[in-house]
């Protein structure tokens, strides 16, 4: 009886020892994340968890540079653009192969992009409808004919959805492909256990010599923040993403763990519903902008890790104006504006996504700050699934939300956030519509001169801020953590984990 | 064998219950505000695409039609397609069955071990120190919130001492048992007190019963009396209690799987409710309902087996 117990305990301890030694296998990076992968087909993907895995296993024609200020060659080694800006000619590198060893040719590029543009269920398809035709004069040349000049086009090709896929594999057996995809990225998928983990191994056919440095990457799904942190502390994980703001200082101080606050394109803001009077009166909106104390919110919610947002374009983004004026906290001025607009007795409904601790905090702070102006704010919590419907339908006055860029060109976000003439999007459902801004947006989309383009976006930023299209809150960095022996664990501002240059040194 | 006749009719009697479960689940989950397709495609998707996807999943049909489709497919053994995973519900659930059932079984075994040990200890030492100790443990176990206890155990036994993995499911059978020990223990600490108190009470009652006295007067030792006469008579109420608590246990896996990151049905259920994955929610509910039906059946069988006087 006792002997059996001793043997069992001994076995258990041995097993755990074996597990620990296995975890120290050279070249394996185990990352803990809070979301689980759902799709492996780049055209169907919309959530970050899927995007970040796809970034590791797929390659694009061109990709964003490390600091996301421009694009650089990926599968394409060079390109030319015609004078009229309607023809883009790409030359692919020599001897490109997919992870299964099959050759990557121009026909695969044509197939992938056409599928992205026209495919059923393609989430970002509308961004590629500007492509009129794709010609492939030979195996290494791809020519894009656009319907009109489109300045953002090159950056749009760097979108994760524009991954180059093997035509043969996708058309032969789509179900197999979507379960075990093949790409030309630094890693290839070897195992996908839903609700548990995704295992990637180095792609031996990756075009960049000497990369990736890691042999293996595992993305583990651990939705509970505490558990994820505990695993990192116990050494079962080598890295984790989404460290809650209130744990950053503690983790960074812990021995053997480093917190990385890489700049991101994330901006948190409060949507205002312009279709609900008196929020259609710019004076009322300005009163709200003056009434909230953004600095206090940043301190309380982000523990000082966020920076105040002075423009809808994130800091560091293309054509961001660092001097764009910001609304300062001025409760007296706000009250004056409210009485001028005859809205001193205002009642607002603040929609908040339930379960998001940060947003719940923001809502309470705003409720208090606006309360001092005499505005009654009623907080309504809804689950994410329900909240989006409510926002689309316009059944709210205020709502906390955020945006991260998918491409570095500002046109994508500007079009979504400020272009009031799009009936499907309605300026990010704020119903903001300024004809002058709409005009500037269309102009900026086709302006070839970079300086003139910058001037246009500076103008748009200024007007949007004056009109108070929404209440900007803060920019915040990515919050990742890793053990000290992990070198170069970096997430670029577009959200891509540059794992091909990450390494483990023990 | 006569006594087990009820087994033939029971499945037939259960059919209306299961049907009712599917209907209630169907209505409840669809009356939740929020659109699964909007959740799936994200905020930046265009309305045409949303409409096309809804059509693809048959979500634009009137509700009664959708329910009839569901029943029709169910009879053919098809649980439908998950909106979130775009895969057959059957497959998605099958992948997650093992961890949850292993966790439940493990927790049951631990609970029974704890309960029988403690209850016996307490009953045999009624009124003395051991009894008070056991009753103290029971109260503590009942009072501690499972979520909090789980994290505490992880911090102590995993992070500090490194005896057990923090979370997850592990590979190989031994790995599973190793990984699931802490979650199973957390559940057992919550469930065992209920069983212990009940078993202790029935044991004490049986120990003082006439037939036990009679056995003692015939010369049997206390141990023999306990094993052969007291225990079999005392088990029955506790077995029934166990059956009732199993429903609670299955629901509790949701919290435990979330804390310990176990890729099981509980976690899947939460995820599918948040994403409004109707077919998946219905499928998992059906699986849980079937499990509870099966458990109740087992309890009834055990009851009949243990007590020849019972007629069901």
């Amino acid at each position: 009886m006792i002997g059996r117990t001793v043997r069992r305990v001994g076995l258990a301890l041995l097993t755990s020892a074996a597990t620990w030694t296995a975890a120290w296998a050279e070249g394996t990076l185990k990352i803990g994340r809070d979301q689980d992968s759902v799709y492996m087909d780049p055209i169907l993907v919309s959530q970050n968890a899927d995007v970040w895995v796809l970034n590791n296993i797929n390659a694009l024609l061109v990709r964003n540079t490390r600091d996301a200020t421009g694009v650089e060659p990926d599968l394409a080694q060079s390109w030319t653009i015609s004078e009229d800006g309607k023809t883009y000619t790409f030359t692919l590198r020599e001897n490109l192969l997919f992870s299964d060893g099959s050759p990557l040719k121009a026909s695969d590029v044509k197939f992938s992009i056409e599928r992205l543009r026209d495919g059923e269920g393609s989430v970002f398809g509308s961004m590629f409808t500007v492509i009129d035709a794709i010609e492939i004069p030979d195996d290494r040349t791809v020519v894009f004919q656009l319907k009109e000049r489109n300045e953002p086009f090159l950056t749009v090709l760097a979108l994760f959805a524009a991954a180059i896929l093997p035509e043969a594999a996708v058309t032969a057996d789509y179900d197999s492909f979507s379960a075990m995809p093949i790409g030309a990225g630094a890693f290839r998928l070897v195992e996908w256990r839903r609700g548990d983990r995704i295992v990637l191994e180095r792609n031996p056919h990756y075009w960049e010599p000497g990369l990736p440095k890691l042999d293996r990457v595992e993305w583990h799904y651990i939705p509970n923040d505490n558990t994820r942190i505990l695993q990192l502390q116990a050494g079962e994980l080598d890295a984790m993403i989404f460290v809650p703001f209130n744990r950053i200082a503690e983790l960074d101080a812990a021995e053997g763990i480093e917190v990385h606050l890489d700049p991101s394109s994330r901006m948190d803001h409060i949507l205002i519903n312009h279709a609900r009077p008196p929020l259609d009166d710019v004076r009322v909106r300005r009163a709200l902008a003056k009434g909230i104390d953004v600095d206090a919110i940043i301190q309380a919610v982000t523990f000082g890790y966020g920076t105040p947002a002075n423009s809808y374009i994130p800091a560091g983004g293309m054509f961001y104006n660092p001097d764009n004026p910001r609304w300062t906290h001025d409760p007296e001025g706000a009250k004056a504006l409210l009485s001028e607009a005859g809205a001193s007795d205002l009642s607002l409904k603040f929609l908040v996504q339930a379960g998001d601790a940060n947003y719940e905090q923001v809502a309470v702070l705003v409720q208090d700050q606006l309360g001092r102006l005499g505005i009654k704010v009623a907080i309504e919590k809804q689950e994410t699934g329900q909240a989006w419907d409510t926002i689309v339908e316009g059944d709210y006055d205020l709502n906390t939300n955020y945006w991260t860029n998918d491409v570095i060109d500002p046109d994508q976000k500007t079009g979504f956030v400020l272009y009031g003439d799009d009936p499907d999007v309605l300026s990010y459902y704020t119903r903001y519509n300024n004809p002058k801004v709409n005009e500037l947006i269309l102009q900026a989309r086709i302006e070839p001169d970079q300086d003139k383009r910058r001037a246009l976006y500076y103008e748009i930023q200024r007007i949007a801020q004056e009109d108070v299209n929404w209440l900007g809150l803060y920019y915040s960095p990515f919050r990742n953590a890793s053990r000290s022996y992990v070198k170069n664990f970096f997430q670029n501002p577009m959200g891509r984990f540059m794992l091909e240059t990450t390494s483990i040194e023990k | 064998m006569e006594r087990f006749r009820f087994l033939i009719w029971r499945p037939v009697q259960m059919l209306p219950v299961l049907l009712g479960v599917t209907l209630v689940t169907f209505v409840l989950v669809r009356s939740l505000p929020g659109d699964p397709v909007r959740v799936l495609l994200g905020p930046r998707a265009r309305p045409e695409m949303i409409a096309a996807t809804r059509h693809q999943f048959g979500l634009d049909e009137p509700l009664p039609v959708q329910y009839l489709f569901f029943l029709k497919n169910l009879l053919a053994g098809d649980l439908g397609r998950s909106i979130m995973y775009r895969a057959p519900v059957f497959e998605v659930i099958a992948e997650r069955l093992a961890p949850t059932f292993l966790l439940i079984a493990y927790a049951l075994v631990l609970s029974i071990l704890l309960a029988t040990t403690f209850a016996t200890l307490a009953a045999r030492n009624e009124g003395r120190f051991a009894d008070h100790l056991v009753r103290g443990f029971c109260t503590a176990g009942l009072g501690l919130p499972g979520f909090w206890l789980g994290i505490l155990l992880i911090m102590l036994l995993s992070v500090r001492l490194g005896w057990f993995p923090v979370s997850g499911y592990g590979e190989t059978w031994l790995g599973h048992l190793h990984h699931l020990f802490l979650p199973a223990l957390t559940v057992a600490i919550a469930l065992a007190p209920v069983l212990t108190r009940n078993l202790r009470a029935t044991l004490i009652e049986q120990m003082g019963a006439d037939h036990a006295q009679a056995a003692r007067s015939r010369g049997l030792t206390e141990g023999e009396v306990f094993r052969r006469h007291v225990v079999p008579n005392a088990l029955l109420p506790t077995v029934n209690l166990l059956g009732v608590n199993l429903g609670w246990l299955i629901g509790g896996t949701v919290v435990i799987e979330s804390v310990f990151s176990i890729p099981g049905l509980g976690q899947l259920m939460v995820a599918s409710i948040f994403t409004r994955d109707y077919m998946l929610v219905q499928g998992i509910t059906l699986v849980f309902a079937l499990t509870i039906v099966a458990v109740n059946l087992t309890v009834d069988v055990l009851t009949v087996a243990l007590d020849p006087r019972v007629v069901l």
Side-chain angles (χ1 to χ4, degrees), chain A residues 325-339:
Chain A
R326 214 187 103 189
W327 291 100
T328 44
H329 183 53
D330 176 16
E332 291 311 315
K335 282 193 224 170
L337 278 171
L338 279 178
S339 61

Side-chain angles (χ1 to χ4, degrees), chain A residues 55 114 122 137 168 236 266 272 302 307 313-314 321 385 397 407 436 486 489 494:
Chain A
N55 279 335
E114 275 176 356
S122 173
E236 285 176 37
R266 177 172 173 139
I272 303 177
T302 72
T307 49
I313 296 184
N321 182 359
D397 289 315
V407 293
K436 175 88 185 111
V486 180
F489 186 66
M494 286 300 112

Side-chain angles (χ1 to χ4, degrees), chain B residues 5-307:
Chain B
R5 191 67 73 74
F6 70 95
L7 275 174
I8 307 173
W9 287 116
R10 186 57 66 83
V12 177
Q13 289 171 329
M14 281 296 118
L15 276 179
V17 173
L18 291 172
L19 201 67
V21 168
T22 60
L23 186 59
V24 171
T25 316
F26 183 89
V27 169
L28 271 181
V29 79
R30 272 159 222 269
S31 47
L32 281 174
D35 177 18
V37 176
R38 170 63 73 175
V39 174
L40 177 71
L41 297 178
R44 304 181 200 183
R46 301 254 146 194
E48 316 88 63
M49 178 136 59
I50 301 218
T53 314
R54 301 201 75 203
H55 180 73
Q56 204 182 10
F57 282 104
L59 292 172
D60 47 359
E61 306 272 355
L63 280 185
V65 173
Q66 288 188 46
Y67 184 61
L68 286 172
F69 262 132
F70 170 65
L71 281 184
K72 185 178 84 133
N73 288 331
L74 192 61
L75 286 171
D78 176 15
L79 286 170
R81 274 183 92 76
S82 156
I83 300 172
M84 181 168 51
Y85 291 101
R86 290 190 200 225
V89 168
F90 194 78
E91 264 177 41
V92 181
I93 291 184
E95 268 178 38
R96 313 290 194 100
L97 270 180
T100 302
F101 282 152
L102 187 57
L103 175 63
I104 294 178
Y106 208 167
L108 266 182
V109 167
L110 282 179
S111 304
I112 293 174
L113 274 174
L114 284 175
T116 47
T117 314
F118 284 145
T120 310
L121 195 65
R124 295 288 290 268
N125 295 296
E126 188 190 353
R128 298 209 290 272
F129 180 66
D131 186 19
H132 292 304
L133 200 63
V134 166
R135 283 157 76 186
F137 275 139
C138 283
T139 314
L142 277 174
L144 293 173
F147 192 101
W148 175 82
L149 180 67
I151 296 188
L152 214 62
L153 282 175
I154 296 177
M155 282 173 71
L156 181 62
L157 297 177
S158 301
V159 182
R160 280 286 172 78
L161 295 173
W163 288 354
F164 296 98
V166 172
S167 69
Y169 185 48
E171 332 263 327
T172 78
W173 275 106
L174 207 59
H176 295 327
L177 290 178
H178 192 208
H179 277 260
L180 291 183
F181 180 72
L182 283 186
L185 185 65
T186 310
V187 175
I189 293 182
L191 180 59
V194 178
L195 300 175
T196 307
R197 289 176 69 108
N198 185 277
L199 189 57
R200 175 186 165 281
T202 53
L203 280 174
I204 291 176
E205 183 197 327
Q206 288 300 319
M207 275 165 71
D210 287 345
H211 65 89
Q213 278 295 74
R216 280 187 207 104
S217 65
R218 285 205 301 279
L220 291 173
T221 64
E222 196 55 44
E224 283 171 337
V225 172
F226 193 77
R227 265 180 297 115
R228 279 206 252 144
H229 293 276
V230 172
V231 170
N233 284 289
L235 274 182
L236 218 46
T238 311
V239 168
N240 276 285
L241 189 63
L242 189 59
V244 167
N245 273 296
L246 205 65
W248 169 91
L249 188 61
I250 292 177
T253 59
V254 162
V255 172
I256 298 298
E257 284 183 16
S258 162
V259 175
F260 289 93
S261 288
I262 301 169
L265 282 183
Q267 224 182 50
L268 187 63
M269 177 64 121
V270 175
S272 55
I273 293 177
F274 278 139
T275 54
R276 306 286 192 277
D277 196 337
Y278 298 145
M279 302 310 289
L280 202 50
V281 173
Q282 281 161 218
I284 301 176
T285 311
L286 202 57
V287 169
F288 281 164
L290 278 170
T291 310
I292 296 191
V293 166
V295 163
N296 281 329
L297 204 58
T298 313
V299 169
D300 284 341
V301 168
L302 274 175
T303 307
V304 169
L306 278 174
D307 190 346

